[in-house]
Amino acid sequence: MTTTPMKDMAMSSLAKRAVFDAFVKLKPREQAKNPVMLMVYISAILTLALFVLSLFGIADAQPGFIIAVSVVLWLTVLFANFAEAIAEGRGKAQADALRAAKRDVMAHKLNEGLVAKGAHADDPAEFFRIQAEEVNSAILKKKDLFFVAANEQIPADGEIVMGAASVDESAITGESAPVIREAGGDRSAVTGGTTVLSDWIVVRVTADAGHSFLDQMIAMVESAARKKTPNEIALEILLIALTIVFLIVSVSLFTYSAFGAGQADMSNPTTITSLVALFVCLAPTTIGALLSAIGIAGMSRLNQANVLAMSGRAVEAAGDVDVLLLDKTGTITLGNRQASEFIPVDGATEREVADAAQLASLTDETPEGRSIVVLAKERFDIRARVLEGSGMVTIPFTAQTRMSGVDFDGHEIRKGAADAVKDYVEAHGGMYSSECAKAVEDISRAGGTPLLVTRDHRILGVVYLKDIVKQGIKENFADLHTMGIKTVMITGDNPMTAAAIAAEAGVDDFIAEATPETKLAAIRQYQAEGHMVAMTGDGTNDAPALAQADVAVAMNSGTQAAKEAGNMVDLDSSPTKLLDIVRIGKQLLMTRGSLTTFSIANDVAKYFAIIPALFVPLYPELEALNIMHLTSPLTAIMSAVIYNALIIVALIPLALKGVKYREATSQSLLTRNLLVYGLGGIVLPFIAIKLLDMLITLMGIA
């Protein structure tokens, strides 16, 4: 019940901060960063100067009209600054929270010799605690070693070289559930500012002070390290060109009006203030004011999804991606094989298979083992037996035997890989029948994993372990296919298994028996064909492929090498996040395109509002264009510039939130964009300017 007031307070604080920053951004150096709004800024200064001159009778328009135009132009600049400031404000708020998590702490520094000695100590943790040198975390450098125990903060980014620990990463990810980090493998990286909850670790520093992952996050979320993307630069060049064109047109119109006034033997009705207002209204000020906010908001949406983009270019590239390389395990499937069926062979019954498999799995704490116990209970209500005092001997799984089981009540019960069990039973005089071989082959062909169950060297049957495809993933892939994005599954499975899972999940293609080299070769091949490729990875062996991909999402739980190779880091370490990243990237491009279309379409209506009102007295032939029939040139100009300012404010929520994303083809999106934002951008100004003209006339302002 209290979340809404708290959220409202946060938004209020954000808005107040943005209002203050809008005035701070009035500095010429800040305005020069946006050439289009720089021209509005200069126009506001010019009209203010004209107002001062008008007070001394040196002006060609009434002081009240000039100051009214000047005020509206200053508001236009402030509204543009506000749009950018409120977009940046989200990042600054998150950066403040991250800074609170970033603080210097005392570190237990070690050297290589101490680590080697500690590895052989009876109590390594106590040895390291006594022998370590206490130093401030700010002086730690790359390759230094330090020791962290339970309830201590990790002082710097690094790779675990010894030990394992439960780590609270909520300061970085926002997730309260602790994670396991351990030496070796792909989950050895730790981040400075996180806290060890249990056990201990020895860590080698991978980033100097000021260049840590937390420092990079702070810089990116507050846009301090944000550079304009190629698409932004290209659009900005177009907007500058249009602005120059309209500047030339406005100056030329003054010459034409002076010539027309001379021909009609009358004073020139077109004032400098009017032409300045005309120039501002015709220039693409709407998109010029919102362009920066759109880009910042796009990165902010990624931050809210717990993804750190190392560059704005990566966010845009995500919008252009048309090939997705996705790991099977954890992305397409749940990552743990589940028992789905007991298949009896050679005269055994299904219940016998279930009973033996359940006994062999009672002490098996793997997800596969637990799923066998659950399936036996669901199918036959076989419950765990009391084993104390029964003389049960557990036979653990080893890489050599590839089997596990129990010796129980005078019986040898085993479960394991098909070829391992085959060798085991044949070595004890048992038989591997053709019926059993066919069951194994059928399961493998269907994409599953066969697990043979034996009792006293006789094969009773096969447990069908199945990779469970995630719920809803097939619909996700169908949406991506509609958008023209090709999905490619990467797996280390054999081609037969890979083909079965790919068909069930609905992916377009697959790469079986994948190695780091095949991943890299596949990305290069797709890029050579002109595709934009995205992929995820978490291991050191993924680094070459991540470095090659256009959009490379490294898992925060992964190795430092993977994070350095990627251009995005998923703080949640969820491989399926890649789908969300692509949608956010496409939404960014859609938002920019939609608002650009709307802005340019706006100029058409403003043209019909101002040009006829200004020049009909000089060129009566222009009456044919006077379709709005505004009250007077002054009300027409005031209505247009007021609308020009207010529309920026009205579009700020859309720029920040983004145009609603829809899975559709590029052609259908373009058609919808032209209808909604093109046609809407023409119709809305006609209505709004006419209403403003009526209001100004009614109030007698102009």
Side-chain angles (χ1 to χ4, degrees), residues 21-38 41 77 80-81 84-85 88 92 228 236 292:
D21 288 345
F23 283 93
V24 172
K25 288 176 177 289
L26 287 175
K27 297 175 183 177
R29 181 179 296 179
E30 288 292 324
Q31 293 302 308
K33 296 177 182 178
N34 189 335
V36 176
M37 295 313 298
L38 175 64
Y41 180 70
V77 175
N81 291 348
E84 183 175 23
E88 290 175 345
K92 288 178 180 177
K228 291 181 179 178
E236 191 171 84
S292 180

Side-chain angles (χ1 to χ4, degrees), residues 91-302:
K92 288 178 180 177
Q94 188 176 358
D96 289 343
L98 290 171
R99 283 194 183 93
K102 182 181 182 294
R103 62 181 187 272
D104 290 340
V105 297
M106 297 306 294
H108 308 295
K109 186 179 177 183
L110 302 170
N111 58 47
E112 297 284 356
L114 286 175
V115 173
K117 288 181 181 178
H120 298 94
D122 294 334
D123 187 348
E126 187 62 25
F127 175 83
F128 291 139
R129 191 188 305 279
I130 295 171
Q131 298 294 328
E133 176 189 0
E134 294 285 326
V135 301
N136 190 290
S137 60
I139 71 169
L140 290 174
K141 303 186 298 295
K142 268 188 178 181
K143 298 185 179 180
D144 284 347
L145 293 162
F146 60 84
F147 164 77
V148 189
N151 301 315
E152 293 179 349
Q153 183 172 307
I154 296 173
D157 292 359
E159 293 271 358
I160 300 174
V161 297
M162 184 184 297
S166 174
V167 180
D168 175 11
E169 296 185 341
S170 58
I172 306 296
T173 67
E175 293 294 329
S176 58
V179 294
I180 301 300
R181 296 287 177 260
E182 57 189 343
D186 294 338
R187 296 185 179 271
S188 59
V190 291
T191 305
T194 58
T195 304
V196 172
L197 297 179
S198 66
D199 301 297
W200 58 269
I201 48 177
V202 175
V203 181
R204 188 182 303 279
V205 178
T206 55
D208 291 326
H211 299 279
S212 69
F213 184 64
L214 202 56
D215 291 316
Q216 292 181 59
M217 283 186 68
I218 292 170
M220 291 306 301
V221 298
E222 67 180 0
S223 299
R226 180 181 178 272
K227 296 180 180 179
K228 291 181 179 178
T229 63
N231 283 349
E232 273 185 297
I233 294 171
L235 180 55
E236 191 171 84
I237 291 171
L238 172 63
L239 298 181
I240 292 171
L242 290 174
T243 302
I244 293 172
V245 167
F246 286 122
L247 179 62
I248 295 171
V249 167
S250 299
V251 173
S252 301
L253 286 175
F254 184 77
T255 306
Y256 276 107
S257 62
F259 174 78
Q263 291 292 97
D265 194 21
M266 59 183 289
S267 61
N268 189 351
T270 306
T271 64
I272 294 176
T273 304
S274 300
L275 288 175
V276 168
L278 173 65
F279 162 67
V280 170
C281 288
L282 293 185
T285 51
T286 305
I287 186 60
L290 298 172
L291 184 59
S292 180
I294 293 168
I296 295 170
M299 294 191 71
S300 177
R301 284 193 291 275
L302 266 185

Side-chain angles (χ1 to χ4, degrees), residues 378-514:
E378 289 176 349
R379 289 284 179 87
F380 302 103
D381 199 28
I382 299 175
R383 300 176 182 273
R385 268 117 331 156
V386 178
L387 302 179
E388 291 82 355
S390 64
M392 182 193 79
V393 177
T394 300
I395 310 299
F397 176 87
T398 67
Q400 290 74 32
T401 64
R402 291 190 296 148
M403 294 190 305
S404 63
V406 293
D407 290 343
F408 171 67
D409 200 21
H411 298 286
E412 289 186 19
I413 300 171
R414 303 287 186 272
K415 63 180 174 66
D419 55 343
V421 172
K422 177 176 181 290
D423 293 341
Y424 168 74
V425 296
E426 288 180 345
H428 290 82
M431 181 181 67
Y432 182 78
S433 67
S434 57
E435 182 183 357
C436 183
K438 184 177 185 304
V440 168
E441 184 180 350
D442 289 344
I443 292 172
S444 299
R445 193 182 301 278
T449 301
L451 196 68
L452 268 59
V453 180
T454 74
R455 184 174 61 204
D456 299 332
H457 314 126
R458 174 198 169 201
I459 297 176
L460 299 177
V462 188
V463 179
Y464 183 177
L465 294 179
K466 186 177 181 182
D467 271 326
I468 306 299
V469 173
K470 287 185 176 180
Q471 187 175 4
I473 199 76
K474 189 168 187 176
E475 290 75 15
N476 265 326
F477 290 150
D479 290 340
L480 293 171
H481 188 78
T482 301
M483 295 156 51
I485 297 176
K486 181 178 182 179
T487 50
V488 182
M489 182 184 77
I490 303 174
T491 177
D493 292 338
N494 61 66
M496 185 183 299
T497 301
I501 295 173
E504 184 179 354
V507 296
D508 298 311
D509 200 357
F510 65 88
I511 300 172
E513 299 176 342

Side-chain angles (χ1 to χ4, degrees), residues 365-646:
E365 291 302 318
T366 65
E368 292 88 348
R370 290 195 295 270
S371 73
I372 290 173
V373 174
V374 171
L375 184 63
K377 179 181 176 182
E378 289 176 349
R379 289 284 179 87
F380 302 103
D381 199 28
I382 299 175
R383 300 176 182 273
R385 268 117 331 156
V386 178
L387 302 179
E388 291 82 355
S390 64
M392 182 193 79
V393 177
T394 300
I395 310 299
F397 176 87
T398 67
Q400 290 74 32
T401 64
R402 291 190 296 148
M403 294 190 305
S404 63
V406 293
D407 290 343
F408 171 67
D409 200 21
H411 298 286
E412 289 186 19
I413 300 171
R414 303 287 186 272
K415 63 180 174 66
D419 55 343
V421 172
K422 177 176 181 290
D423 293 341
Y424 168 74
V425 296
E426 288 180 345
H428 290 82
M431 181 181 67
Y432 182 78
S433 67
S434 57
E435 182 183 357
C436 183
K438 184 177 185 304
V440 168
E441 184 180 350
D442 289 344
I443 292 172
S444 299
R445 193 182 301 278
T449 301
L451 196 68
L452 268 59
V453 180
T454 74
R455 184 174 61 204
D456 299 332
H457 314 126
R458 174 198 169 201
I459 297 176
L460 299 177
V462 188
V463 179
Y464 183 177
L465 294 179
K466 186 177 181 182
D467 271 326
I468 306 299
V469 173
K470 287 185 176 180
Q471 187 175 4
I473 199 76
K474 189 168 187 176
E475 290 75 15
N476 265 326
F477 290 150
D479 290 340
L480 293 171
H481 188 78
T482 301
M483 295 156 51
I485 297 176
K486 181 178 182 179
T487 50
V488 182
M489 182 184 77
I490 303 174
T491 177
D493 292 338
N494 61 66
M496 185 183 299
T497 301
I501 295 173
E504 184 179 354
V507 296
D508 298 311
D509 200 357
F510 65 88
I511 300 172
E513 299 176 342
T515 64
E517 292 76 19
T518 56
K519 292 179 187 179
L520 182 60
I523 291 172
R524 286 176 173 169
Q525 178 63 34
Y526 282 120
Q527 289 173 332
E529 295 170 1
H531 296 287
M532 293 283 284
V533 183
M535 76 162 286
T536 61
D538 60 359
T540 300
N541 62 351
D542 290 323
L546 287 170
Q548 182 67 37
D550 299 292
V551 177
V553 185
M555 301 295 102
N556 187 41
S557 63
T559 62
Q560 189 67 24
K563 288 194 275 190
E564 289 176 357
N567 49 29
M568 292 187 185
V569 177
D570 176 20
L571 303 180
D572 294 330
S573 300
S574 169
T576 55
K577 191 70 70 67
L578 184 56
L579 304 177
D580 296 326
I581 291 170
V582 170
R583 290 188 173 97
I584 290 171
K586 287 193 174 294
Q587 186 183 36
L588 169 65
L589 297 182
M590 286 171 57
T591 302
R592 186 184 297 152
S594 298
L595 292 185
T596 301
T597 303
F598 184 86
S599 177
I600 294 174
N602 261 236
D603 293 339
V604 176
K606 288 181 281 187
Y607 171 89
F608 279 100
I610 297 180
I611 295 292
L614 282 180
F615 294 99
V616 164
L618 294 175
Y619 302 101
E621 296 84 358
L622 291 176
E623 181 63 35
L625 298 178
N626 192 20
I627 58 177
M628 298 184 71
H629 299 292
L630 302 179
T631 305
S632 70
L634 297 186
T635 61
I637 292 167
M638 286 303 302
S639 301
V641 293
I642 290 172
Y643 170 80
N644 195 60
L646 294 180

